[in-house]
Amino acid sequence: MSNTRTIRRAKAGTTEPAWVKWTLIGIALAFIFLFLVLPLAAVFTEALRKGADAFLEAFKEPDAWSAIRLTLITAAIAVPLNLVFGVAAAWAIAKYEFRGKAFLTTLVDLPFSVSPVVAGLIYVLMFGAHGWFGPWLQAHDIKIVFAVPGIVLATIFVTFPFIARELIPLMQAQGTDEEQAAQVLGASGWQTFWHVTLPNIKWGLIYGVILCNARAMGEFGAVSVVSGHIRGQTNTMPLHVEILYNEYQSVAAFAIASLLALLALVTLVIKSFVEWQFERDQKAAAELPPERPLA
Amino acid sequence: MTAAATAGGLPGGPSAAPPSPATPTAKRPAKRVLPGFRLTLGFTLFYLALIVLIPLSALVFKTFTLSWEQFVSAVSSPRVIASYQLTFGASFLAAVVNAVFGLLVAWVLVRYQFPGKKIIDALVDLPFALPTAVAGISLTALLASNGWVGSVLEPYGITLAFNRNGVVIALIFIGLPFVVRTVQPVLEDAEKELEEAATCLGATRWQTFRYVIFPTIAPALLTGFAMAFARGVGEYGSVIFIAGNMPMLSEITPLIIIGKLEQYDYAGATAVATVMLLASFFMLLVINALQSWQRKRSGA
């Protein structure tokens, strides 16, 4: 008798009474609704406030299209470069031991803690008219700041750690056993990477790429500093939103913003899918019979 | 395709360390068996220097061209001091709100079942995915006196847009995922046996939470708090639309830098940016220390 009572009490002790539970769920949902659902819904309702025609009008402007094009170009350059870096950095940091590794990992994370505005400023100080390379660039008629290359550089900076920081812990957790086995069996470095490492890290890789892409397309502060805001030339989508908004073209601003919000939603869907796949793979791996020791 | 490009570089290693089955590769220390160390580390350092270290050093060198008096007057004028107070104060307040509600959301997501839980879980990352400028104009539309929330609050004399309140609201939005996402995994891994033991020993549910669960998640909670705070200090896009940007009142420090740049005051902008950079270095150190504390806790 006393034994069953203890068990019942122990069970009750790891859950809360129903009223506490539902109050906590209620508060959490109210908070999520106020701070996440409402702002998201507001983007679309503001965009459609004056009907579908006014909404579509925003996309008839050539400036809007040049902003969309520039955003796509920027992401198409920044994401692959950071992908190459992310894989190389994760390989070096996760697969080998060397001095200063912890410091290097911290440096890789550094761009996350630098304000976007400061990120933009450093490129102005490097390549601006009064910057280190300013006079040389002017003499050779190369424009970096207030032009597309500056926008791409600033975007690369702010999205720098995304892929590396997804891959480093993942590859560290996986260790080097499988790669060493492949090497012993005579695989080249390339074959080892392509057939052994890549399948193991693919979900982490996709995860990093979509987050990197979302930030690359949505970056505002850093790009705003280096862009110069030349309509139709150096405006990305977020900058175009700002210009329209400041000109009181609210519907047009929210129309472009709704496209970016859709991008965010697609990102969240892919991200959830990747997490789900990753967990499924993990479970499947856990259910495999224990490996026999390599002798 | 790009992954192939990276990997295409990796075999640069084999010539340096041939893994031929004929040679006694297995006897060598494991860390040198895999090819590509020099190539990947070399590329990592090169890219890091090119994109991050050299440009950041440009900021430091530019600062050293200022005299001490110039530097001090640029970073301590009353308008700049007011912006520090707002930036750090609002970030702190927003991080506190996020610590409380983020812990609550993480708790609810880990411990309870309710309809729509998966969607809520996915939605928590929205501030990471939604461009800050979009968040900024959307929050402004909501909180302005004719917006859904603003029109409800106006009769009570509460205005949340175009003043300091707006800054805090925007920073709560931006920092929301940090606490949830750092606390959630720790809460998932927490051992239920400890809670059962506490209950068997006669602890109330609150005592169990206070003395058993909370100490386990405290390092993660602090880490999330520090990350949300650090993000808030640097935030620009979401804040400038909703803040009203009144000098001395609702002007954040990143906006001061932009303002100085627009007046071609590069020296002043650099000086203020250096202060912000030092602040972010400091916070990076704190976050690193918190994370290693957290690892030690969960390892023990």
Side-chain angles (χ1 to χ4, degrees), chain A residues 57-124:
Chain A
E57 200 64 37
F59 297 100
K60 288 185 181 147
E61 241 192 298
D63 287 349
W65 282 107
S66 82
I68 293 171
R69 198 161 48 237
L70 181 57
T71 293
L72 293 177
I73 291 172
T74 306
I77 301 172
V79 176
L81 282 175
N82 281 337
L83 175 65
V84 173
F85 163 73
V87 173
W91 184 273
I93 289 173
K95 302 289 182 194
Y96 307 97
E97 292 301 326
F98 54 92
R99 282 213 292 173
K101 195 160 108 162
F103 185 60
L104 180 62
T105 316
T106 306
L107 284 182
V108 169
D109 267 349
L110 187 58
F112 269 158
S113 47
V114 174
S115 171
V117 170
V118 176
L121 173 69
I122 58 179
Y123 290 104
V124 174

Side-chain angles (χ1 to χ4, degrees), chain A residues 248-269:
Chain A
Y248 300 102
Q249 300 191 47
S250 176
V251 169
F254 277 100
I256 307 290
S258 69
L259 214 57
L260 288 166
L262 270 182
L263 166 78
L265 286 178
V266 170
T267 304
L268 291 186
V269 169

Side-chain angles (χ1 to χ4, degrees), chain A:
Chain A
M1 271 305 282
S2 78
N3 197 20
T4 44
R5 214 171 35 236
T6 318
I7 289 172
R8 197 176 306 141
R9 186 144 176 231
K11 274 210 174 129
T14 53
T15 51
E16 286 74 45
W19 68 271
V20 175
K21 173 182 160 180
W22 288 106
T23 310
L24 293 181
I25 292 177
I27 299 172
L29 289 184
F31 180 72
I32 297 279
F33 178 78
L34 277 177
F35 277 93
L36 297 180
V37 179
L38 272 186
L40 190 60
V43 177
F44 294 102
T45 43
E46 290 289 328
L48 295 166
R49 179 175 288 265
K50 289 181 181 150
D53 290 339
F55 173 81
L56 291 173
E57 200 64 37
F59 297 100
K60 288 185 181 147
E61 241 192 298
D63 287 349
W65 282 107
S66 82
I68 293 171
R69 198 161 48 237
L70 181 57
T71 293
L72 293 177
I73 291 172
T74 306
I77 301 172
V79 176
L81 282 175
N82 281 337
L83 175 65
V84 173
F85 163 73
V87 173
W91 184 273
I93 289 173
K95 302 289 182 194
Y96 307 97
E97 292 301 326
F98 54 92
R99 282 213 292 173
K101 195 160 108 162
F103 185 60
L104 180 62
T105 316
T106 306
L107 284 182
V108 169
D109 267 349
L110 187 58
F112 269 158
S113 47
V114 174
S115 171
V117 170
V118 176
L121 173 69
I122 58 179
Y123 290 104
V124 174
L125 293 178
M126 289 262 288
F127 303 115
H130 305 281
W132 275 359
F133 302 106
W136 187 88
L137 289 169
Q138 268 181 340
H140 292 78
D141 204 23
I142 304 170
K143 283 207 80 161
I144 290 184
V145 167
F146 307 137
V148 176
I151 292 173
V152 174
L153 276 172
T155 304
I156 292 176
F157 182 95
V158 293
T159 58
F160 186 85
F162 273 93
I163 297 168
R165 71 149 28 185
E166 286 305 327
L167 292 183
I168 292 169
L170 186 62
M171 281 166 72
Q172 270 173 338
Q174 284 168 350
T176 56
D177 292 354
E178 291 185 35
E179 280 84 2
Q180 284 180 37
Q183 293 285 301
V184 171
L185 293 171
S188 71
W190 155 250
Q191 286 170 322
T192 307
F193 176 79
W194 188 247
H195 296 289
V196 177
T197 310
L198 197 59
N200 278 336
I201 61 169
K202 67 171 183 248
W203 296 121
L205 201 76
I206 298 171
Y207 193 95
V209 166
I210 55 159
L211 289 183
C212 181
N213 179 63
R215 180 74 193 265
M217 289 190 172
E219 178 52 30
F220 178 76
V223 169
S224 163
V225 174
V226 295
S227 130
H229 304 273
I230 308 162
R231 277 186 96 130
Q233 283 179 43
T234 62
N235 263 345
T236 59
M237 283 167 78
L239 295 177
H240 193 59
V241 168
E242 183 199 18
I243 288 189
L244 292 171
Y245 188 82
N246 287 342
E247 287 172 349
Y248 300 102
Q249 300 191 47
S250 176
V251 169
F254 277 100
I256 307 290
S258 69
L259 214 57
L260 288 166
L262 270 182
L263 166 78
L265 286 178
V266 170
T267 304
L268 291 186
V269 169
I270 300 176
K271 183 179 162 296
S272 302
F273 175 76
V274 167
E275 278 168 346
W276 176 65
Q277 286 289 324
F278 183 67
E279 268 169 39
R280 212 190 54 171
D281 284 9
Q282 293 277 37
K283 273 204 193 108
E287 279 162 14
L288 283 176
E291 288 172 54
R292 274 183 296 174
L294 295 163

Side-chain angles (χ1 to χ4, degrees), chain B residues 5 24 30 46 60 68 86 94 121 124 126 150 153-154 162 170 208-209 215 219-220 236 247 262 275 280 291:
Chain B
F46 168 74
V60 177
W68 181 245
L86 173 66
D121 196 5
V124 166
L126 181 72
L153 295 175
E154 201 177 29
F162 311 121
T208 309
F209 178 79
Y236 175 71
E262 279 170 357
V275 171
S280 40
Q291 277 171 335

